[in-house]
């Protein structure tokens, strides 16, 4: 049903008492009527314009606002929480092992010096003929120095093995999917701020069922379904790995407990084997009520 702007303003006067004060300015009234015309069907009745609410126009108007908002990146908090995190696929850690071979040359020089200590040999005088000639042989000193230098070059080859873990996403969102998710986030944000929850559900239903749809969210929906499957598989694999790890730990604890019990039994057997029959019989004696030997050796 078509109604005039005055009738509409009068109907919301109780819920918005400040509106009557604002409508005193003609520019504000003109602005409100122009925005009403954007989401309503209009009809001229004489000098007055009549309005009727149109959901299709409202949907187109909100989509236009959302497209303008999503042309660039959303505010950082919204972009991280509703776009990046939503489109983030489970990651897989891949270990890559690389071996580095390094060659180091070492040179060793060994010098051997052998020096013979000076040896002095004095020849004894000899008596010759009758003239008794004494002759003293001169001292002969023989010094020999032998130097040997040996150089050995040793090459040492060292191998260094390094293991690096790379995080590889299982699926990467395309620019088209990212743009569609940004548009959907902007649309939801505008509806949550300016549209009632009941009206928002109607608009979302109309957006999905419209033929042809104003925006094709099929690539985004298929991507999100695949992401959901991958997350379920990753969660199942993680739980299975945790269960396997727990089973391994339980088996190790059981084996360790059995080993301790076996050692204790062997030790008890060795102690019993070294005991005499008299000692074993004394252990069976009931000593309840008897005084200990230390009682008789106390200081008085």
């Amino acid at each position: 049903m078509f109604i005039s702007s005055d009738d509409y303003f009068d109907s919301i006067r109780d819920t918005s008492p400040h509106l009557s004060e604002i409508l005193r300015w003609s520019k504000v009234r003109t602005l409100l009527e122009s925005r009403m015309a954007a989401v309503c069907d209009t009809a001229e009745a004489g000098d007055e314009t009549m309005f009727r609410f149109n959901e299709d126009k409202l949907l187109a108007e909100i989509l236009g606002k959302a497209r303008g908002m999503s042309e660039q990146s959303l505010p950082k908090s919204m972009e991280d929480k509703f776009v990046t995190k939503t489109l983030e696929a489970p990651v897989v850690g891949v270990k890559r092992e690389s071996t580095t071979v390094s060659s180091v040359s070492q040179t060793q020089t060994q010098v051997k010096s052998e020096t013979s200590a000076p040896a002095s040999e004095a020849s004894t005088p000899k008596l010759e003929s009758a003239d008794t000639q004494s002759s003293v042989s001169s001292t002969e000193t023989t010094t020999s120095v032998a130097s040997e230098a040996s150089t050995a070059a040793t090459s040492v080859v060292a191998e260094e093995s390094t293991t690096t873990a790379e995080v590889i996403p299982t699926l990467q969102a395309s620019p088209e999917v990212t743009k569609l998710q940004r548009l959907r986030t902007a649309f939801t944000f505008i509806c949550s701020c300016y549209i009632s929850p009941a009206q928002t559900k109607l608009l979302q239903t109309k957006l999905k069922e419209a033929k042809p749809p104003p925006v094709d969210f099929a690539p985004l929906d298929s991507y999100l379904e695949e992401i959901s499957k991958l997350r379920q598989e990753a969660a199942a694999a993680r739980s299975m790995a945790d269960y396997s790890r727990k089973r391994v730990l339980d088996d190790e604890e059981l084996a360790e407990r059995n080993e301790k019990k076996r050692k204790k039994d062997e030790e008890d057997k060795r102690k019993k084997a070294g005991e005499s029959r008299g000692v074993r019989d004394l252990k069976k004696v009931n000593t309840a009520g008897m005084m200990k030997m230390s009682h008789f050796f106390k200081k008085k």
Side-chain angles (χ1 to χ4, degrees), residues 16-219:
S16 303
H18 60 281
L19 187 60
S20 60
E21 300 294 332
I22 298 175
L23 292 176
R24 292 182 179 181
W25 293 289
S26 58
K27 291 183 179 180
V28 175
R29 187 183 183 90
T30 304
L31 178 61
L32 287 175
E33 290 179 352
S34 65
R35 299 316 303 155
M36 288 173 62
V39 297
C40 295
D41 296 330
T42 58
E44 297 295 334
D47 297 336
E48 194 173 11
T49 303
M50 309 294 287
F51 300 92
R52 183 179 62 185
F53 177 67
N54 189 327
E55 290 183 353
D56 294 333
K57 284 190 172 183
L58 178 61
L59 178 61
E61 187 69 19
I62 295 177
L63 277 177
K65 298 289 185 182
R67 286 193 181 95
M69 184 177 176
S70 62
E71 285 180 356
Q72 298 179 354
S73 297
L74 300 176
K76 191 175 186 307
S77 58
M78 293 180 62
E79 185 77 17
D80 293 341
K81 184 175 182 180
F82 299 105
V83 179
T84 305
K85 191 173 181 180
T86 303
L87 299 179
E88 185 178 6
V91 296
V92 178
V94 178
K95 292 185 178 180
R96 294 184 178 180
E97 184 174 354
S98 60
T99 303
T100 305
V101 180
S102 60
S103 178
V104 181
S105 297
Q106 298 178 351
T107 304
Q108 299 177 349
T109 303
Q110 183 180 6
V111 179
K112 296 181 179 179
S113 299
E114 294 181 357
T115 306
S116 62
S120 299
E121 295 181 355
S123 61
T124 56
K126 294 181 180 181
L127 296 177
E128 295 179 358
S129 67
D131 294 336
T132 315
Q133 295 177 354
S134 64
S135 61
V136 180
S137 62
S138 59
T139 303
E140 297 177 355
T141 305
T142 306
T143 305
S144 63
V145 179
S147 300
E148 295 179 1
S150 64
T151 303
T154 304
S155 178
V156 180
V157 178
E159 293 187 0
E160 296 180 358
S161 179
T162 58
T163 303
T164 58
E166 295 183 2
V167 177
I168 301 175
T170 54
L171 196 63
Q172 189 69 32
S174 63
E176 180 186 3
V177 171
T178 304
K179 186 176 180 181
L180 289 174
Q181 177 62 21
R182 196 176 288 130
L183 176 60
R184 177 176 286 178
T185 302
F187 179 82
T188 305
F189 174 74
I190 293 173
C191 289
S192 63
C193 292
Y194 303 105
I195 309 298
S196 63
Q199 190 67 44
T200 299
K201 290 182 180 179
L202 293 176
L203 292 177
Q204 290 175 348
T205 303
K206 187 176 287 294
L207 182 62
K208 292 179 181 179
E209 297 177 354
K211 295 182 180 181
V215 180
D216 186 11
F217 287 106

Side-chain angles (χ1 to χ4, degrees), residues 259-271:
E259 183 67 18
K260 288 182 179 179
K261 185 178 180 181
R262 184 183 63 81
K263 289 182 179 179
K264 186 178 180 181
D265 294 341
E266 290 179 356
E267 187 177 355
D268 293 339
K269 288 181 181 179
R270 284 196 301 269
K271 288 182 179 180

Side-chain angles (χ1 to χ4, degrees), residues 6-23:
D6 291 334
D7 294 338
Y8 178 73
F9 294 148
D10 291 339
S11 65
I12 62 174
R13 191 180 298 275
D14 294 337
T15 57
S16 303
H18 60 281
L19 187 60
S20 60
E21 300 294 332
I22 298 175
L23 292 176

